[in-house]
Each structure stands twice: as C-alpha cells, then as structure tokens.
Amino acid sequence: MNPFEKIFNYRILSRLDGSGTLLITSSERAWLKTMLEHPAARQAFEADTLDKLRSALEKDDCLDAADHLAEKARSKESQVYHPLLRRLRRCIASRSGIRLAYTIKNGREVVDQSGFPYKLEYSMVKREWYLLWYHLRHRAFMSTRLQKISSAAEEPLPSYADPDRILNRLNRTLDSRKQEACIEVLRQYNKELSRILYAFSCFEKDVAYDPDEDTYRVRVHFQGDDSEYLLSKIRFLGKRVRVVEGDYIRNRMLESSAKALARYGEDGSLKEQDDQDNATV
C-alpha cells in the first residue's frame, strides 16, 4: 500500500468515526447474528432494535462453531442480562439522579435512597452485575448488586448536587484504590503470548517488549477487590509467567507457594508420614 492510499483510508475512517459509523467484518457480522439468537437478546434490546439488527444481518450466516468447539463443565451463569441494565444505562448517559430500593446483608430492605449512578460493572469472579453509585445523603461511594435492587427510578438531581463535582470525587476515589503489578513472560513461552494476554483481557494493561532480553512484560492495573481474581489467573498460567513488581501480589504468590510446598513437597510428605507413624505407635 502506498502512502497516498493510507492517507485516503485514514480520512475515510476519520469521517466514519465522526459520523458514528462503525465498520465490521464478515466474521464480526456472523458473530453478532449468532449472539442475537441467544435468549437474553430479547431482554438486552428493544423489540424494534432487535428486528432492525436481524433484518440487517438476514443475508449473513451464523457462526458455526459446533464442529470446532466442545463446551464441557460449564459454570452456572447467574446473570447474562439484568432487566435493570437498560434503565440504569440511560440514567448514567443522561447524568440524572436515581432513586433506589435495595436489600442489605441482613435482609432488610432500604427504600427511597437518592443517588447519582456512576458505572455498571460486571464481576468476572461472581458473574453478576453491580451498580457503582454515589449516595447523596451519606456522601458515600456505593457498590450494589443488581440482584439486590428491587426498584430503580430516574429523578432529577437536587440543586446542591453538581454532576461534575461528583464525578471528579468518584474518579479520585477509584484512582486511590488502583493497584498495579508487572508480570514478566518467560522467554521460552513467548510463542504463547496471545494466550497469556487473553488471561489478562479483563484488566487494563500495558505490554512492553525488551528486544535485548527478548522478553515481554505486562503491567496490569486493577482494583483492590480484583486482586484475588488476578492471582487466580497468574496461578492458572503457572511457570509461564512471574511477578516482578507489585509487593502484595508477590507476597501472596510466595505465601501460596510455601503452603503448597509444605503440603505436597518432599519435606512436607515426610513430615506427614512421620506424624502418621507416630500416631499409630
């Protein structure tokens, strides 16, 4: 491709982005048509929108993965789509207030709680949706499971609540809770880089390559609540990676390794055998 073609294509893509047009490939169209066949699609889209999408993809084929993929030992999906998602998403987009009724841990229902919705978040660990919001009366950052919310209604914000000020405060709160860890891919496993990066696909990350050492380093940014999930991914990758930065993650990996060696290592096995022999004498 010559430079003029690149400039021309860049101008086309820039204009399409400015007009809100999204280009998708035939594979993406096939994937989308397959996803629209999922039972949750009726809840995720309004009837008119769903009909328009299906009519636009009428000539495309569905993604046939039956001959290539076999699903085994599937975990139970508690929530694919929640009925409140669409309503809450509109409140977040319009930057309006919200009135909630939800159940707390002891089973008591709390009603008429005014707040400012900030973000919808899906927990990959618990496999359910959460609403992140700001409680106006208590001036507190809240995280509530959608499963616990019994009702949600849009309402105008009071005059003393400035959306920009609330958003700045919430962003500062989340930034203060952010942590990061640097994970190095061992050189002999560079060919599995795509698999390793896929394991961290749920996190914000930066990938750096050192040509002198021929090594990749993945800097993962995560919230403190997601540390256990990150640890599970690192353990899943095993000897392919090692944590080079991030004291908390390193200490947790060292702790779990020490416990595993104590239970399954040679010394641990001998100690358990001696304890059993002494118990039988």
Side-chain angles (χ1 to χ4, degrees):
M1 180 182 293
N2 62 55
F4 296 101
E5 290 179 347
K6 290 184 179 180
I7 294 173
F8 180 71
N9 290 336
Y10 173 76
R11 287 180 177 176
I12 292 178
L13 293 175
S14 300
R15 291 182 180 180
L16 290 175
D17 290 339
S19 63
T21 304
L22 178 65
L23 293 177
I24 60 175
T25 64
S26 58
S27 299
E28 291 170 338
R29 292 173 66 91
W31 175 85
L32 178 58
K33 186 173 183 178
T34 305
M35 293 300 103
L36 292 179
E37 299 299 324
H38 195 282
R42 296 183 179 275
Q43 299 175 333
F45 297 97
E46 294 182 352
D48 295 340
T49 304
L50 187 59
D51 292 339
K52 287 181 181 179
L53 288 172
R54 285 176 173 172
S55 62
L57 301 171
E58 185 177 0
K59 297 181 180 180
D60 293 273
D61 297 328
C62 289
L63 186 64
D64 186 12
D67 297 333
H68 307 285
L69 297 176
E71 187 176 20
K72 297 181 179 180
R74 177 183 178 182
S75 59
K76 184 179 180 181
E77 190 81 24
S78 58
Q79 290 179 357
V80 177
Y81 183 85
H82 195 280
L84 289 176
L85 280 177
R86 190 185 306 162
R87 187 185 311 169
L88 294 173
R89 188 170 57 227
R90 288 175 179 171
C91 293
I92 294 172
S94 62
R95 302 176 65 180
S96 62
I98 194 170
R99 183 174 293 272
L100 297 174
Y102 54 91
T103 306
I104 57 179
K105 290 184 178 180
N106 59 7
R108 184 170 61 89
E109 186 177 17
V110 183
V111 298
D112 295 334
Q113 302 298 305
S114 297
F116 178 77
Y118 173 65
K119 185 186 293 185
L120 288 165
E121 193 174 78
Y122 186 78
S123 172
M124 295 298 296
V125 180
K126 298 181 179 179
R127 295 186 177 273
E128 57 182 335
W129 286 96
Y130 283 77
L131 172 66
L132 307 183
W133 59 289
Y134 180 76
H135 200 296
L136 293 177
R137 187 173 63 182
H138 299 315
R139 297 182 180 181
F141 179 67
M142 307 286 289
S143 176
T144 306
R145 289 189 291 175
L146 295 197
Q147 190 177 4
K148 296 292 185 179
I149 299 177
S150 56
S151 66
E154 185 177 0
E155 66 176 9
L157 283 172
S159 57
Y160 63 84
D162 182 16
D164 293 327
R165 184 177 299 177
I166 294 175
L167 287 173
N168 290 334
R169 181 173 182 176
L170 293 178
N171 289 329
R172 288 196 302 268
T173 301
L174 290 177
D175 289 340
S176 65
R177 298 179 181 179
K178 275 189 176 180
Q179 301 181 28
E180 65 177 37
C182 186
I183 301 167
E184 183 179 273
V185 180
L186 272 65
R187 187 185 310 168
Q188 58 268 35
Y189 296 102
N190 282 352
K191 59 183 179 181
E192 299 186 34
L193 181 64
S194 59
R195 176 188 178 185
I196 295 170
L197 292 180
Y198 179 75
F200 302 120
S201 59
C202 300
F203 300 96
E204 297 180 13
K205 59 186 178 298
D206 301 313
V207 183
Y209 174 69
D210 186 353
D212 297 331
E213 299 291 337
D214 189 26
T215 56
Y216 290 91
R217 287 194 172 187
V218 184
R219 187 169 296 276
V220 180
H221 308 275
F222 60 97
Q223 297 289 334
D225 297 340
D226 297 329
S227 58
E228 293 298 326
Y229 185 63
L230 176 60
L231 285 166
S232 68
K233 291 297 183 181
I234 296 174
R235 295 188 187 105
F236 168 75
L237 293 173
K239 60 183 180 181
R240 297 173 180 82
V241 298
R242 64 178 177 183
V243 182
V244 294
E245 293 181 20
D247 293 338
Y248 176 76
I249 299 297
R250 283 173 57 89
N251 292 335
R252 286 299 308 276
M253 289 299 297
L254 182 61
E255 178 185 354
S256 59
S257 300
K259 289 181 178 179
L261 286 174
R263 179 174 293 274
Y264 301 108
E266 182 177 356
D267 295 338
S269 300
L270 292 176
K271 184 178 182 302
E272 288 184 1
Q273 185 64 37
D274 292 341
D275 293 341
Q276 292 177 0
D277 294 341
N278 293 333
T280 56
V281 173

